Amino acid sequence: MGEREEVKLLGVWYSPYAIRPKIALRLKSVDYDYVEEDLFGSKSELLLKSNPLHKKVPVLLHNNKPIVESLNIVEYIDETWNSSGPSILPSHPHDRALARFWSDFVDNKWFPALRVAAITKSEDTKAKAMEEVEEGLLQLEDAFVSISKGKPFFGGEAIGFMDICFGSLVVLLKAREKFKAEKLLDESKTPSLCKWADRFLSDETVKNVVPEIDKVAEFLQELEVRVQSAASRS
């Protein structure tokens, strides 16, 4: 790699999606400039130019070339800096396919249910979504047991692709626990996931890039008030 490499990450502090590339860059010991976006104010020219299709963070700019979508960025980081730090995606094709499958489950099935549960007004819809969330956690508990084979992480001895994907959302779970009387990660139902979540959040790599749970909880509370007042005005 030439030494005039320019790496820039556009993100927003509370976004679980923006946490993912931060963890990956840290695992690979890549120096980068971080640009905080304001998603409630006006989005920067750089963001609109770099991600014209979705206009969303995170965006990684590597020598001015944009890479978008959080897990896509994590794979890019893994492949680009493959000789530095541990491998993020498993080396065996079957393990790699499993990591992608479960990451897709988390992002496209489990997390959308959690989002519905968080913002819906209808009690029925909320109850149904919470059922899906809890069922998903039981499925992820089984997946963890089978994928980790008794090791500390989904990625084995070290944090890997699926740890980054699901772990970034655990921050939100823990934050919700702070201001809502709900405990989604329950030792009696998902003991392995509970241990894994604590290990993940206290890992040196993660600890240094993840926002404080209390700060995220405060932000979620403010967001809920904002969403409700907007809904009552419409």
Side-chain angles (χ1 to χ4, degrees), residues 20 71 94-111 135-148 154 161-163 165-166 169:
R20 292 170 175 178
L71 292 179
H94 181 257
D95 296 338
R96 233 181 1 253
L98 268 182
R100 288 192 180 115
F101 170 83
W102 282 108
S103 295
D104 183 70
F105 171 81
V106 164
D107 273 6
N108 296 316
K109 190 164 165 43
W110 180 78
F111 190 54
E135 190 188 338
L137 286 173
L138 293 175
Q139 291 163 322
L140 285 161
E141 168 82 2
D142 291 345
F144 176 78
V145 171
S146 100
I147 291 171
S148 67
F154 281 96
F161 191 70
M162 179 58 188
D163 297 287
C165 167
F166 187 38
L169 297 169

Side-chain angles (χ1 to χ4, degrees), residues 13 15 28 52 71 78 81 87 95 101-102 142 156 162 178 183 192 196 212 229 232:
W13 71 270
S15 162
K28 295 290 190 178
L71 292 179
D78 195 31
W81 290 278
S87 188
D95 296 338
F101 170 83
W102 282 108
D142 291 345
M162 179 58 188
K178 287 264 183 200
K183 195 158 171 53
S192 303
W196 162 80
E212 283 171 38
S229 66
S232 63

Side-chain angles (χ1 to χ4, degrees), residues 16 88 122 197:
I88 294 171
S122 142

Side-chain angles (χ1 to χ4, degrees), residues 14-49:
Y14 53 80
S15 162
Y17 301 112
I19 290 170
R20 292 170 175 178
K22 285 182 185 176
I23 295 173
L25 288 163
R26 198 173 170 89
L27 279 172
K28 295 290 190 178
S29 307
V30 178
D31 288 327
Y32 65 97
D33 291 321
Y34 176 67
V35 180
E36 178 74 17
E37 290 286 337
D38 176 8
L39 297 189
F40 291 108
S42 52
K43 297 177 180 181
S44 73
E45 278 303 306
L46 185 57
L47 175 59
L48 298 175
K49 193 178 81 188

Side-chain angles (χ1 to χ4, degrees), residues 176-193:
R176 270 180 72 86
E177 279 177 14
K178 287 264 183 200
F179 79 99
K180 294 223 178 275
E182 61 175 37
K183 195 158 171 53
L184 287 174
L185 278 175
D186 183 336
E187 285 86 356
S188 63
K189 294 179 186 158
T190 53
S192 303
L193 275 190

